[in-house]
Amino acid sequence: MRILSGMQPSGKAHIGNYLGAMRQHISMQNEGDCFYFLANYHALTTVRDGTRLKELSFELAVDYLALGLNPNKTTFFLQSDVPELTELTWIFDTISPLGLLERAHAWKDAKAKGKKDMTVGLFNYPVLMACDILMYGPDKVPVGQDQKQHVEITNDIAGHFNHIYGETFKPVEVVIVEDVAVVQGTDGQKMSKSYGNTIDIFADESTLKKQVMGIKTDSLGIDDQKNPKECIPFQLLSHFASPDEVKSVEEKLIKGGFGYGELKKQLLSSLLSYFAEARERRIELLKKPDFITDILKEGGKKARKIAQEKMEEVRKKVGLN
Ligand code: ADP
Ligand code: TRP
């Protein structure tokens, strides 16, 4: 079975990325032949500083490796090492109905929020994503909830292509873990790099403390009884603390006499201990930039070979070869 996913190097990886996507990426390495990539072509829609994009790509590669991505098992690469993707994007553009992309939530939200930077690239984002997926013929695509519609669009595009040119691309199954499908950020909205409401996996301790202490809570006092279901720091804690600890905090919140400050301190220490080993591995990896670059290069070669073969078939079918 082939498993594929990607993540944009558009900012620092946060615990929403981890719970919703990266953790599944790492654990699924034992279930099949995995392909994971850094979606740097996609990141160009928001990062407009070349040096910064390179840094962010390198850092995200280090983060994945520190969290347990095993390059001996998994093909790990940079999206841009497979330039065939841009050719397939054009071909898919010519058959993708405008209405299909106009219905994309990400595009509609950006428009509704009056985003200044409404580019053709942003509109076309799902088409490139369809190429990322269909190029390698995976069976499963593990992502967070916000990417579900993009995977559905991918299957629609595959269907259109197959209908016009004959069976070429196979539909994929989206894999979403329900209880972490949408992790809340410090302000209660979905945690996202673009909302400034993140808790970053590898932030230094003082930044992490600031992020955790900044989580929004209601104005109930220490002695008041609290509702754990509506308490963001508790919801986050439940993913990182032991079941016993979670149960005891839940009871204390319901009973009263346990304040949010104390709860946030507990969350901070859970995060630090949950990611302690990964933090150490990350420090070591940062000392070996060539090792990281070589892994990505090797992965890129393997991915590109598959893409080149697929493009031979596509070019023949559409009449370019
Ligand atoms: P961001 O919104 O922070 O820019 P990305 O779009 O780069 O995140 O998402 C990378 C992966 O992490 C995707 O699979 C996405 O669905 C998942 N993801 C992002 N934010 C969350 C969240 N708050 N909860 C669950 N999964 C998330
Ligand atoms: N759009 C995805 C995100 O923002 C990243 C991505 C690009 C992706 N291509 C992909 C995810 C292909 C899964 C499969 O997170």
Side-chain angles (χ1 to χ4, degrees), residues 241-297:
S242 69
D244 283 349
E245 195 182 338
V246 175
K247 197 158 177 280
S248 121
V249 171
E250 187 176 22
E251 284 166 3
K252 284 196 266 182
L253 284 169
I254 294 172
K255 197 163 154 236
F258 185 67
Y260 292 126
E262 201 58 37
L263 170 60
K264 288 179 185 176
K265 271 192 210 145
Q266 207 159 332
L267 172 60
L268 178 64
S269 91
S270 295
L271 285 170
L272 286 170
S273 73
Y274 187 95
F275 291 112
E277 277 175 34
R279 280 175 174 273
E280 277 173 29
R281 277 198 294 269
R282 189 170 183 278
I283 292 169
E284 291 311 308
L285 286 162
L286 284 170
K287 294 180 193 155
K288 300 191 281 187
D290 293 345
F291 172 70
I292 315 289
T293 319
D294 287 350
I295 290 172
L296 293 174
K297 249 191 228 148

Side-chain angles (χ1 to χ4, degrees), residues 4-8 37 39 42 125 129 132-133 141 143 147:
L4 174 135
S5 196
M7 187 162 140
Q8 292 191 73
F37 63 90
H42 277 110
Y125 186 109
M129 187 156 156
D132 285 332
I133 297 173
V141 179
V143 284
Q147 298 300 315

Side-chain angles (χ1 to χ4, degrees), residues 7 14 16-17 20-21 143-144 146-147 180-181 183 190-193:
M7 187 162 140
H14 54 74
N17 297 139
V143 284
D146 60 341
Q147 298 300 315
V180 285
V183 175
K190 170 195 126 77
M191 189 176 290
S192 171
K193 287 174 229 132

Side-chain angles (χ1 to χ4, degrees), residues 24-79:
Q24 282 70 264
H25 299 167
I26 308 288
S27 68
M28 287 177 93
Q29 291 182 116
N30 300 321
E31 290 172 30
D33 180 20
C34 294
F35 283 68
Y36 298 136
F37 63 90
L38 310 174
N40 56 352
Y41 280 144
H42 277 110
L44 284 174
T45 59
T46 52
V47 185
R48 299 280 167 56
D49 172 335
T51 312
R52 183 79 189 123
L53 182 58
K54 272 204 93 162
E55 271 169 18
L56 287 170
S57 306
F58 174 76
E59 281 174 22
L60 185 56
V62 171
D63 292 354
Y64 259 113
L65 292 164
L67 289 168
L69 187 142
N70 178 351
N72 299 319
K73 260 191 190 161
T74 289
T75 308
F76 186 42
F77 60 104
L78 272 174
Q79 186 184 29

Side-chain angles (χ1 to χ4, degrees), residues 29-295:
Q29 291 182 116
N30 300 321
E31 290 172 30
D33 180 20
C34 294
F35 283 68
Y36 298 136
F37 63 90
L38 310 174
N40 56 352
Y41 280 144
H42 277 110
L44 284 174
T45 59
T46 52
V47 185
R48 299 280 167 56
D49 172 335
T51 312
R52 183 79 189 123
L53 182 58
K54 272 204 93 162
E55 271 169 18
L56 287 170
S57 306
F58 174 76
E59 281 174 22
L60 185 56
V62 171
D63 292 354
Y64 259 113
L65 292 164
L67 289 168
L69 187 142
N70 178 351
N72 299 319
K73 260 191 190 161
T74 289
T75 308
F76 186 42
F77 60 104
L78 272 174
Q79 186 184 29
S80 61
D81 279 341
V82 186
E84 286 73 16
L85 290 168
T86 60
E87 182 182 2
L88 186 60
T89 300
W90 174 250
I91 295 173
F92 280 177
D93 274 348
T94 65
I95 57 149
S96 301
L98 205 57
L100 182 68
L101 299 183
E102 278 169 344
R103 284 193 293 277
H105 301 310
W107 173 255
K108 284 206 299 197
D109 289 352
K111 246 172 106 174
K113 284 192 176 134
K115 188 175 182 326
K116 279 195 229 100
D117 210 6
M118 299 293 281
T119 59
V120 175
L122 197 66
F123 182 68
N124 218 20
Y125 186 109
V127 181
L128 175 58
M129 187 156 156
C131 296
D132 285 332
I133 297 173
L134 298 171
M135 189 68 106
Y136 310 102
D139 303 282
K140 292 190 177 183
V141 179
V143 284
Q145 178 70 29
D146 60 341
Q147 298 300 315
K148 183 170 183 244
Q149 192 194 24
H150 288 155
V151 181
E152 288 163 1
I153 293 175
T154 296
N155 285 338
D156 283 341
I157 294 178
H160 283 299
F161 189 98
N162 292 345
H163 180 71
I164 301 169
Y165 295 110
E167 209 54 35
T168 312
F169 296 106
K170 76 169 193 233
V172 295
E173 184 192 331
V174 65
V175 178
I176 294 175
V177 177
E178 280 313 321
D179 70 325
V180 285
V182 186
V183 175
Q184 282 180 303
T186 54
D187 60 356
Q189 291 188 81
K190 170 195 126 77
M191 189 176 290
S192 171
K193 287 174 229 132
S194 38
Y195 300 159
N197 64 355
T198 62
I199 295 175
D200 300 335
I201 307 171
F202 293 114
D204 60 69
E205 277 194 48
S206 78
T207 310
L208 195 67
K209 189 170 175 194
K210 252 189 232 143
Q211 293 178 334
V212 170
M213 292 302 166
I215 300 173
K216 197 172 117 189
T217 49
D218 55 34
S219 54
L220 291 174
I222 296 186
D223 294 333
D224 294 322
Q225 297 181 326
K226 305 178 181 69
N227 180 357
K229 288 200 178 70
E230 282 171 12
C231 175
I232 306 169
F234 174 74
Q235 291 301 322
L236 294 175
L237 180 83
S238 71
H239 299 298
F240 297 101
S242 69
D244 283 349
E245 195 182 338
V246 175
K247 197 158 177 280
S248 121
V249 171
E250 187 176 22
E251 284 166 3
K252 284 196 266 182
L253 284 169
I254 294 172
K255 197 163 154 236
F258 185 67
Y260 292 126
E262 201 58 37
L263 170 60
K264 288 179 185 176
K265 271 192 210 145
Q266 207 159 332
L267 172 60
L268 178 64
S269 91
S270 295
L271 285 170
L272 286 170
S273 73
Y274 187 95
F275 291 112
E277 277 175 34
R279 280 175 174 273
E280 277 173 29
R281 277 198 294 269
R282 189 170 183 278
I283 292 169
E284 291 311 308
L285 286 162
L286 284 170
K287 294 180 193 155
K288 300 191 281 187
D290 293 345
F291 172 70
I292 315 289
T293 319
D294 287 350
I295 290 172

